[in-house]
Amino acid sequence: MLLGAGATLALGLAILAVARHRVRSSLAIPAMTIHQIESTDVLLAFAVMVFLPSMFDSILGSLLFSGAPSSPTPATVAASPELLRKSACVLLGQVAASGLMLLIGRSRFPGGLLGWGLSLDGVGRRFAQAVAAYICIWPVCYGLLVATVWAIERIVPGFNVTEHESISLLIGPDATRVVRAITVTSALVMAAVQEEFFFRGILQQWLYRATG
């Protein structure tokens, strides 16, 4: 019991320390690098984030099923290829969109990707910091989620929370190990990378320059 209480206290102190650091850092606007990002770059990056997964889905769907015979198949047999195609298209779209944003960052910033802020120096230390921050902030995020659902249920009686598509894929009975691996990679890795590239690397830089 004492060990559990000590671990809880340590986690609470860590959460407070991270929150205090985050609040302080969010109040100060960091110095922006000189760049040549235009509004067309922002629109292009946003468009590929939104439309590339559906484009890959349409292309792969037409290639896989254009010449397939229309013979009836059980739902349990057909579900896994369909889930695999959808999850793979989302991941391919994220990878392609991230690659395009890397090209934008490399071409618009002096010094290429290094000038954009991408460097492998101290990557191990920064990764450890990111993991620690994630562990500390996760209880806060979960608490906010529970509080939000509770408030909505009080305002809208009978409200049902819709399960996220990624969670549905992971817990679905027809999902294979490959589908689950692709879904985890897409949701935990590529989604975060893509959002950082767009919001922090492109949109924030453009807004800073546009607003002076």
Side-chain angles (χ1 to χ4, degrees):
M1 183 177 293
L2 291 177
L3 182 61
T8 303
L9 178 61
L11 180 61
L13 292 176
I15 291 174
L16 291 176
V18 171
R20 182 180 180 184
H21 174 73
R22 284 293 183 182
V23 169
R24 286 184 175 180
S25 61
S26 63
L27 294 178
I29 300 178
M32 296 294 174
T33 309
I34 298 176
H35 61 82
Q36 300 297 327
I37 291 181
E38 304 293 342
S39 57
T40 53
D41 299 323
V42 179
L43 294 175
L44 178 61
F46 180 76
V48 296
M49 285 176 58
V50 174
F51 295 114
L52 274 184
S54 57
M55 288 177 58
F56 279 115
D57 188 42
S58 300
I59 294 173
L60 288 181
S62 61
L63 291 177
L64 293 176
F65 300 107
S66 58
S70 57
S71 57
T73 55
T76 55
V77 176
S80 292
E82 183 71 13
L83 291 177
L84 177 60
R85 177 170 65 90
K86 288 184 177 181
S87 57
C89 288
V90 171
L91 180 59
L92 287 174
Q94 291 172 329
V95 172
S98 299
L100 178 63
M101 287 185 276
L102 282 173
L103 292 177
I104 293 175
R106 187 181 68 175
S107 61
R108 297 303 192 188
F109 283 79
L113 294 179
L114 186 61
W116 196 32
L118 289 182
S119 173
L120 294 178
D121 294 338
V123 64
R125 175 178 53 84
R126 286 182 289 175
F127 178 78
Q129 291 174 344
V131 172
Y134 176 83
I135 294 174
C136 292
I137 204 65
W138 183 86
V140 178
C141 295
Y142 183 75
L144 291 175
L145 174 62
V146 173
T148 302
V149 174
W150 179 86
I152 294 176
E153 288 176 345
R154 296 301 179 275
I155 298 173
V156 184
F159 173 78
N160 293 321
V161 180
T162 304
E163 196 69 78
H164 193 277
E165 185 177 356
S166 298
I167 303 298
S168 300
L169 283 174
L170 290 175
I171 64 178
D174 298 324
T176 62
R177 290 182 179 180
V178 176
V179 170
R180 290 191 174 97
I182 293 176
T183 302
V184 169
T185 304
S186 172
L188 296 185
V189 179
M190 289 310 304
V193 170
Q194 183 177 251
E195 290 174 3
E196 282 293 312
F197 283 175
F198 178 74
F199 289 105
R200 187 184 297 269
I202 294 179
L203 182 61
Q204 182 182 12
Q205 301 281 350
W206 177 78
L207 286 173
Y208 186 84
R209 179 186 177 189
T211 56

